[in-house]
Amino acid sequence: MAKWGEGDPRWIVEERPDGTNVNNWHWTEKNATNWSRDNLKELLTGLAVETDDARCEITSVTSMEGEASANNRKAKLIFFYEWVIKGEWSGQMKEGEKKYKGKFDVPNLSEEHEPDEVDVTWTVDKETDDGYKLKEIMRTQGTPMVQQQFAKYIKMLKEEYSQNVILPTKDQKKQQKSTHEELINAKTEMNKMVISNDSTASKSVGVKINTKTINLQEEFVCGPTQLYRVFTDKEMVQAFTGSSAIYEVEKGGRISLMNGYVTGGFVDLVPETKIVKRWRLKTWPDAHFSEVTLEFSEKDGNTLLRLKQTGVPTTEYEKTIEGWKVNYWQRIRQVFGFGSHIF
């Protein structure tokens, strides 16, 4: 192994001012969910539409479900965000005295759509002539203004979370100001992500993490097709986890469960037979993923599920096993009635 400061230039490994994630090669992720909620509410609340005949305004954001993150892989920034937003608006004709109220719904604010492609639907509580006119003002003029606010949000997100996601290389150090201060901040931020009682475990990314392998078996009273569907149908996954999910069931598709506590992605899918996925808990060392393999086979009219999980941090081993048994096996049995026997 090359020593620090003595690296052969033919090696792909570079010296880094923070000593980690050389060449920005590894996947790193920053959670932008709370920041996004605050800024989206600020951008939308109070947004006013005024014409010669009327004035309307978004009065509140009542619901915001989803998540956002900034990711770096091979020195490329990737932003993920997916939001379902609901809110209320009010309006009044300038020559009238009655104030009308209504609601709006945004079902698809995500990186898959350009801001001007995001749908916004408007309803009014009372469909009178004036109520209809005000709703049409919000639909025709309010929608483009809301989409413009979404464009601002996306720009702000990228500006805010581009910082310290792609870290500087050796040759860029001379171009930076206050390098020593940035180094301290980077190390502080990385150390926040790791909670470990194991003295041999690293407290920062880029150092070897001691891991173990989990092997579990569980028998469910159902067919392999039914059980496979439990792990691949988004609505069924949301049912037994009790929360909304990002669940893109395809090779390379994203996974985010339990409000971002479990994240990862699909590596391989063999219908009714096998699922392989990258998998991590929020409490694990930053950017460290395990690999989970689920195999489904028929046994005496039931289904035998075999789980193999490699790369589990040693300090998280017992907690992870308990999580599978409580949050998956027991919950699946409770929600879908697939009686099971642990052995």
Side-chain angles (χ1 to χ4, degrees), residues 11-29:
W11 285 54
I12 65 168
V13 179
E14 290 189 43
E15 300 170 30
R16 296 297 312 282
D18 55 8
T20 188
N21 200 7
V22 292
N23 285 331
N24 295 287
W25 189 259
H26 300 294
W27 181 279
T28 59
E29 178 176 301

Side-chain angles (χ1 to χ4, degrees), residues 106-291:
V106 180
N108 63 341
L109 174 58
S110 74
E111 73 279 354
E112 296 178 0
H113 302 90
E114 293 296 324
D116 60 4
E117 297 173 339
V118 175
D119 296 326
V120 186
T121 59
W122 306 88
T123 59
V124 65
D125 293 347
K126 294 183 179 181
E127 284 279 2
T128 63
D129 288 344
D130 283 349
Y132 176 79
K133 290 177 183 177
L134 293 167
K135 183 185 75 171
E136 284 300 291
I137 289 172
M138 292 304 281
R139 184 183 69 83
T140 59
Q141 299 186 42
T143 296
M145 292 179 68
V146 168
Q147 292 170 338
Q148 288 174 13
Q149 296 301 88
F150 291 152
K152 289 181 183 179
Y153 156 70
I154 295 167
K155 181 180 179 182
M156 291 165 60
L157 173 68
K158 292 180 178 180
E159 290 175 350
E160 178 72 17
Y161 282 87
S162 294
Q163 303 175 33
N164 294 330
V165 176
I166 293 185
L167 300 173
T169 61
K170 175 184 176 182
D171 293 337
Q172 293 170 329
K173 286 194 295 181
K174 296 179 181 179
Q175 301 174 9
Q176 297 184 348
K177 296 180 181 180
S178 306
T179 302
H180 178 66
E181 181 179 344
E182 292 178 5
L183 170 60
I184 294 173
N185 291 339
K187 287 187 175 179
T188 301
E189 189 65 27
M190 286 186 292
N191 289 343
K192 289 180 183 177
M193 301 301 294
V194 181
I195 301 173
S196 174
N197 295 322
D198 186 349
S199 60
T200 62
S202 168
K203 291 186 178 181
S204 63
V205 181
V207 179
K208 178 178 174 62
I209 298 171
N210 293 330
T211 65
K212 298 179 73 173
T213 297
I214 293 174
N215 287 284
L216 297 175
Q217 292 186 120
E218 179 111 357
E219 188 173 337
F220 291 86
V221 183
C222 65
T225 300
Q226 291 173 291
L227 190 59
Y228 182 87
R229 186 173 170 227
V230 168
F231 285 91
T232 54
D233 185 286
K234 181 177 178 179
E235 290 187 3
M236 297 181 78
V237 170
Q238 291 180 149
F240 78 77
T241 59
S243 62
S244 61
I246 295 175
Y247 214 66
E248 301 170 351
V249 187
E250 59 183 2
K251 290 183 180 180
R254 292 181 296 147
I255 297 172
S256 180
L257 306 175
M258 305 174 191
N259 299 314
Y261 185 71
V262 176
T263 55
F266 287 99
V267 176
D268 193 21
L269 292 153
V270 181
E272 303 177 16
T273 304
K274 183 171 72 172
I275 300 170
V276 183
K277 51 190 175 182
R278 296 169 70 248
W279 193 96
R280 62 173 271 108
L281 295 178
K282 191 175 183 178
T283 55
W284 286 13
D286 194 23
H288 178 78
F289 285 82
S290 67
E291 183 171 276

